[in-house]
């Protein structure tokens, strides 16, 4: 175990990206992951909005952690998260009305994304601001990465495009089911299959390496 | 892995010991489906033949490869993949591009059967899973119908059949509406005798009620099919339709029309009776079939789609474990659950 | 509660335990309100501008040739009044004017039930031609790839280049708009449906029929008010 502080803080950041990825490993925040990933642009917008809320609320929770009594901590966290969600919603509207329409009610629903409350409760309330920031940024980017994976597959198969650009020929027959809610479940299932397969393969290889030693 | 035996154990009542094996039953179901398939080929020609061949081939090959991938013995010998492929082919429109047919066969086996653990574990009828995914993916292609009995049906194929894989099909100008679609959107009811003998447009095998009934009767007589399922579905659909037709003859079709149009015959006789996805006890089977019957009427009358047999059966499959649990036979010699509580 | 031995529990030694909670919640509440209000102040001008642009784009699209607009509302008793902003249950009508300030037409908002959810559309009406000259879907949740063809299908949109809604001698619409099967449009008041999206195209036709039957007579009666609008004020 490396206990060097620099290494530890990189670790806080990296773990959310891959080893503890919110979607593929922790399977948290399924509502936006299934609902708004029918195109890459929606996935990016939702991912970044969530990352923003996650970073801001984690930092605030961390800085107020000695000020908030245990009994009212959940109420306080929700209040803080809801505030940043509202702030994010205003910003998205100011950036693009169309985007705001596409994401619809799911921006407001970031409040109930258990990933954010989970990080506030499990990490930010027990750590100082810098690690809390790194943890939130890692988790948020990991979440965004996972949403892009889902959105990419769905947009590519369901519409034949990526970020709106035609990938296949003009005559490509889109699989409409992929941009419907059902496609969210199909692609999430496929990604989870891939992740678990890679994980079990790695474990098998590690075991084999140990045995041969 | 002796999967075949398991299926035999959960056969519906009466629980007689018999030397019948899964593959015997399955082979007989295939025999019973062959006349339906043959008539479909007579009606729609080469196009239907290719649809049936491709769907069966895709289903069997997928089963074989998935077995190899899972390091187990290939189960294509039990004929169940052949049935899935044939049934899927029979529910598709004859002019559907063949690449979509092949995808349907692959999805039916991979998603409808292997994802749940193979034969005996699937909670839904695999052929209908394949068809449902195709319907949700290609809603236009799967509702573009080709007329029956075209003069050159044995010498030429519809232009759409041989579409390049993953490309949009180009449709022939001669497409037609199904009797159910005409009823729903234009309020034109087809003549019953025409429907009964199958001389109308529709999916490959959802045309002749007569042949499907004869084949079903053969299986029922050999005790390889639970006759209560189709009979209850027919009774519920006919009964409900009679009531609504009695109230408002202009809005709702006649019971005969409802029974003989669309996929009801094929679905009730060959798909709702799927041994794995239907309940075991007789009361359970009756409730299950009644649920399917009600759903068919509800979807056809008030749903957005003209045909609802597929979704009704999938719905029935989904609630089948629930029915099973609430209607459980008392273990012999014990008091009933309610008395105990 | 022990009233006989107050000395055992001196109030000063045990401060009321709810104070930190109240302090925390109130403090966070104030902080959060400040954050929200300042963001709102910061973004409001941009949001209003974007919303206006979005609406204007739609209006100029359904009223080809218009370069400025003015917003009116139709009161429940059939009067026309100038109006700004957006309000629940208010029927808005946008008058579009060309460079010379002449009335090009009226863009009217209409809503009704689609296949999945409420459909909100904007259509352009030309008093001169007594016809609908443009249509745009503002809000829809129709099935992607099927129902959303009502926004994209060129054949379907061609229906709204000149869709007849002319009035008869009683100042009522002579031929209400009707949807017909694809390829069978024979009259200028019929809407050619999309194959494979029958329900959504019918929904558009029904919304338009209902809305035009109700509003076009009112609008035609009050045409002067819209024409005068350009003199009274100024679109952006």
């Amino acid at each position: 175990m490396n206990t060097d502080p620099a290494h530890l803080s990189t670790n806080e950041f990296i773990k959310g990206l891959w080893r503890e990825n919110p979607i593929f490993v922790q399977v948290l925040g399924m509502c936006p992951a299934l609902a708004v990933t029918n195109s890459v642009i929606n996935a990016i917008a939702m991912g970044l909005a969530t990352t923003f809320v996650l970073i801001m609320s984690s930092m605030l929770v961390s800085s107020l952690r000695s000020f908030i009594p245990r009994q009212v901590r959940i109420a306080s966290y929700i209040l803080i998260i809801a505030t940043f969600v509202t702030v994010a919603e205003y910003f998205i509207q100011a950036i693009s009305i169309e985007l705001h329409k596409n994401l619809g009610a799911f921006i407001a629903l970031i409040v109930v994304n258990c990933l954010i409350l989970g990080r506030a409760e499990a990490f930010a309330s027990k750590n100082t601001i810098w690690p809390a920031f790194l943890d939130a940024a890692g988790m948020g980017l990991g979440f965004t990465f996972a949403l892009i994976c889902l959105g990419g597959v769905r947009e590519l198969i369901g519409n034949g495009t990526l970020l709106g650009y035609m990938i296949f020929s003009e005559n490509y027959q889109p699989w409409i089911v992929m941009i419907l809610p059902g496609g969210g479940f199909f692609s999430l299932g496929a990604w989870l299959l891939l992740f678990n397969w890679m994980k079990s393969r790695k474990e098998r290889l590690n075991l084999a390496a140990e045995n041969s030693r | 892995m002796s999967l075949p035996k398991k299926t035999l154990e959960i056969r519906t009542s009466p629980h007689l010991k018999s030397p019948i094996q899964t593959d015997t039953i399955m082979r007989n179901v295939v025999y019973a489906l062959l006349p339906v398939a043959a008539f479909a080929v007579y009606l729609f020609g080469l196009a239907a033949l290719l649809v049936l061949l491709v769907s069966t081939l895709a289903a069997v090959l997928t089963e074989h490869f998935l077995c190899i991938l899972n390091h187990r013995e290939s189960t294509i010998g039990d004929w169940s993949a052949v049935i899935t492929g044939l049934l899927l082919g029979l529910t598709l429109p004859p002019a559907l591009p063949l690449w979509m047919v092949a995808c349907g066969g692959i999805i039916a086996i991979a998603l409808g059967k292997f994802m749940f653990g193979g034969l005996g574990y699937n909670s839904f009828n695999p052929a209908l899973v394949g068809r449902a995914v195709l319907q949700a993916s290609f809603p236009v292609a799967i509702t573009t119908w080709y007329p029956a009995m075209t003069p050159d049906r044995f010498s030429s194929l519809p232009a759409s059949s041989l579409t390049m894989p993953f490309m949009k099909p180009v449709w022939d100008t001669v497409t037609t509406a199904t009797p159910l679609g005409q009823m729903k959107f234009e309020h034109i009811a087809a003549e019953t005798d025409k429907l009964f003998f199958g001389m109308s447009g529709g999916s490959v095998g959802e045309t002749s009620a007569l042949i499907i009934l004869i084949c079903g009767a053969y299986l029922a007589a050999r005790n390889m099919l639970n006759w209560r399922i189709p009979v209850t579905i027919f009774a519920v659909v006919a009964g409900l339709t009679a009531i609504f037709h009695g109230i408002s003859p202009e809005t709702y079709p006649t019971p005969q029309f409802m029974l003989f149009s669309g996929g009801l015959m094929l679905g009730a006789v060959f798909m709702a009776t799927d041994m794995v996805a239907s309940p075991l006890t007789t009361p359970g089977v009756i409730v299950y079939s009644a649920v399917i019957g009600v759903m068919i009427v509800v979807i056809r009358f008030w749903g957005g789609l003209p045909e609802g047999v597929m979704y009704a059966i999938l719905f029935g499959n989904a609630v089948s474990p629930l029915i099973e649990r609430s209607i459980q036979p008392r273990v012999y010699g014990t008091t009933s659950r309610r008395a105990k509580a | 509660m022990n009233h006989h031995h107050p000395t055992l529990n001196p109030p000063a030694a045990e401060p009321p335990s709810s104070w930190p909670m109240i302090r925390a919640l109130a403090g966070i509440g104030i902080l959060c309100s400040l954050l929200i209000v300042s963001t709102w102040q910061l973004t409001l001008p941009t949001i209003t501008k974007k919303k206006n642009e979005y609406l204007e784009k739609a209006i100029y699209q359904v009223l080809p040739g218009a370069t400025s607009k003015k917003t009116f509302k139709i009161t429940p008793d059939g009067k026309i009044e100038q109006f700004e902003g957006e309000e629940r249950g208010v029927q808005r009508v946008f008058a579009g004017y060309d460079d010379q300030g002449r009335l090009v037409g009226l863009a009217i908002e209409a809503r009704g039930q689609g296949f999945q959810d409420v459909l909100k559309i904007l259509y352009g009406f030309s008093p001169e031609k007594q016809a609908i000259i443009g249509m745009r879907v503002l809000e829809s949740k129709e099935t992607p790839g099927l129902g959303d063809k009502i926004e994209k299908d060129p054949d379907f949109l061609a229906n709204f280049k000149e869709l007849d809604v002319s009035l008869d001698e009683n100042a009522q619409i002579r031929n209400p708009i009707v949807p017909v099967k694809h390829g069978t449009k024979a009259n200028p008041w019929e809407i050619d449906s999309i194959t494979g999206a029958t329900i959504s195209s019918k929904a558009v036709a029904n919304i338009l029929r209902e809305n035009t039957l109700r509003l076009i007579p009112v609008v035609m009666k009050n045409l002067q008010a819209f024409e005068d609008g350009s003199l009274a004020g100024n679109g952006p």
Side-chain angles (χ1 to χ4, degrees), chain A residues 73-117:
Chain A
R73 68 188 193 286
I74 301 291
S76 314
Y77 299 162
I78 288 291
L79 203 57
I80 291 171
I81 294 167
T83 303
F84 285 113
V85 170
T86 315
V87 168
E89 178 153 17
Y90 283 139
F91 276 126
I92 291 177
Q93 237 175 332
I95 292 166
S96 161
I97 300 277
E98 300 254 357
L99 189 62
H100 184 256
K101 279 205 167 126
N102 281 345
L103 298 180
F106 294 102
I107 305 175
L109 284 176
I110 296 177
V111 178
V112 290
N113 189 331
C114 41
L115 170 65
I116 302 175
L117 188 62

Side-chain angles (χ1 to χ4, degrees), chain A residues 6-190:
Chain A
H7 178 84
L8 271 183
S9 52
T10 353
N11 192 33
E12 301 304 356
F13 181 70
I14 296 291
K15 70 173 193 272
L17 289 180
W18 191 261
R19 209 179 60 242
E20 289 177 28
N21 187 292
I23 298 273
F24 294 142
V25 179
Q26 303 185 57
V27 200
L28 286 176
M30 285 297 106
C31 164
L34 294 169
V36 290
T37 53
N38 49 9
S39 72
V40 177
I41 192 77
N42 285 357
I44 293 176
M46 175 49 82
L48 292 183
T50 310
T51 308
F52 167 78
V53 175
L54 192 54
I55 292 178
M56 298 308 278
S57 52
S58 275
M59 282 168 68
L60 195 60
V61 164
S62 160
S63 57
L64 293 178
R65 68 187 186 284
S66 50
F67 175 69
I68 301 172
R70 268 191 64 76
Q71 296 91 329
V72 292
R73 68 188 193 286
I74 301 291
S76 314
Y77 299 162
I78 288 291
L79 203 57
I80 291 171
I81 294 167
T83 303
F84 285 113
V85 170
T86 315
V87 168
E89 178 153 17
Y90 283 139
F91 276 126
I92 291 177
Q93 237 175 332
I95 292 166
S96 161
I97 300 277
E98 300 254 357
L99 189 62
H100 184 256
K101 279 205 167 126
N102 281 345
L103 298 180
F106 294 102
I107 305 175
L109 284 176
I110 296 177
V111 178
V112 290
N113 189 331
C114 41
L115 170 65
I116 302 175
L117 188 62
R119 287 338 282 175
E121 166 79 10
F123 197 91
S125 63
K126 297 177 186 139
N127 287 282
T128 48
I129 295 186
W130 178 237
F133 167 78
L134 286 175
D135 172 77
M139 286 290 167
L141 291 178
F143 185 73
T144 312
F145 162 72
L147 290 197
I148 294 173
C149 287
L150 287 170
V153 170
R154 290 179 69 183
E155 189 181 336
L156 190 66
I157 303 178
N159 202 27
T161 58
L162 266 184
L163 278 168
Y165 292 105
M166 193 67 82
I167 298 292
F168 304 125
S169 95
E170 279 291 320
N171 291 322
Y172 173 72
Q173 166 73 51
W175 292 60
I176 290 163
V177 70
M178 290 307 282
I179 39 178
L180 297 178
F185 288 94
F186 289 154
S187 49
L188 180 65

Side-chain angles (χ1 to χ4, degrees), chain B:
Chain B
M1 266 283 171
S2 60
L3 282 171
K5 235 187 183 148
K6 262 186 198 126
T7 338
L8 188 65
E9 280 163 17
I10 57 162
R11 226 158 51 78
T12 45
S13 59
H15 295 293
L16 296 175
K17 283 230 168 199
S18 71
I20 302 178
Q21 296 288 315
T22 309
D23 54 340
T24 324
I25 299 180
M26 296 294 178
R27 208 173 55 234
N28 273 285
V29 177
V30 174
Y31 293 157
L33 279 171
L34 283 180
V36 183
F39 185 70
V41 173
Y42 165 70
L43 276 182
F44 295 109
L46 226 49
L49 182 70
L50 280 179
V51 165
L52 289 169
L53 278 180
V54 168
S55 67
T56 311
L57 211 65
V60 172
L61 286 180
T62 311
E63 172 119 347
H64 187 67
F65 282 120
L66 282 176
C67 279
I68 292 175
L69 212 69
N70 281 316
H71 308 291
R72 46 168 143 154
E73 212 178 301
S74 176
T75 46
I76 51 172
D78 68 13
W79 291 83
S80 65
V82 177
I83 296 182
T84 300
L86 268 180
L87 280 178
L88 173 72
L90 288 171
T91 61
L92 298 174
L96 192 73
L98 291 171
W99 71 264
M100 292 185 188
V101 177
C103 287
I106 295 168
I107 292 166
I109 295 290
L111 196 68
K113 193 166 161 192
F114 266 76
M115 206 60 95
F116 294 96
L119 183 66
Y121 300 95
N122 49 307
S123 32
F124 297 98
N125 182 321
L128 285 180
V129 172
R131 151 106 206 183
V133 172
L134 286 185
Q135 166 108 46
S137 300
F138 314 116
V140 175
I142 215 153
T143 47
T144 305
W145 309 101
Y146 193 67
M149 304 292 281
T150 52
D152 59 346
R153 63 189 186 279
F154 292 111
S155 53
S156 72
L157 273 174
S160 51
S161 287
L162 295 176
T163 312
M164 280 283 288
F166 305 108
M167 293 299 144
K168 273 184 198 148
V170 179
W171 299 105
D172 284 333
T173 40
V174 271
T175 53
T176 180
T178 62
L180 270 173
Q182 279 182 327
M183 183 69 212
K184 181 136 204 156
F185 299 121
E186 289 152 50
H187 281 275
I188 302 168
E191 300 141 46
T192 310
D193 58 334
K194 214 173 162 192
L195 289 173
F196 191 69
F197 295 110
M199 299 298 171
S200 53
S203 294
V204 170
E206 65 178 30
T207 47
S208 173
L210 181 67
I211 294 182
I212 295 174
L213 281 176
I214 293 173
C215 295
Y218 162 77
L219 285 179
R222 296 207 54 182
N223 214 355
M224 292 168 174
L225 176 148
N226 192 339
W227 57 271
R228 291 176 190 88
I229 295 176
V231 169
T232 315
I233 295 179
F234 295 155
V236 169
V237 170
L240 278 177
T241 315
I243 295 172
F244 283 107
H245 184 70
I247 295 170
S248 167
E250 302 87 54
T251 330
Y252 300 110
T254 59
Q256 304 90 285
F257 176 83
M258 281 288 277
L259 283 186
F260 299 134
S261 60
L264 192 134
M265 279 291 153
L266 189 74
V269 174
F270 285 106
M271 297 194 203
T273 50
D274 188 304
M275 292 179 177
V276 187
S278 59
L280 307 181
T281 59
T282 301
V285 159
I286 304 277
V287 174
Y288 161 82
S289 322
V291 166
I292 295 178
V294 171
M295 287 304 289
I296 291 174
V297 174
V298 167
I299 297 177
R300 280 193 183 177
F301 284 179
W302 304 293
L305 300 162
E307 174 60 306
V309 173
M310 170 182 76
Y311 291 119
I313 296 176
L314 286 173
F315 183 80
N317 290 163
V319 295
S320 147
L322 200 69
I323 296 170
E324 197 102 83
R325 195 188 292 191
S326 42
I327 308 176
Q328 219 162 38
R330 188 158 59 91
V331 176
Y332 186 68
T334 62
T335 48
S336 74
R337 276 185 302 158
R338 204 166 295 156
K340 238 191 268 173

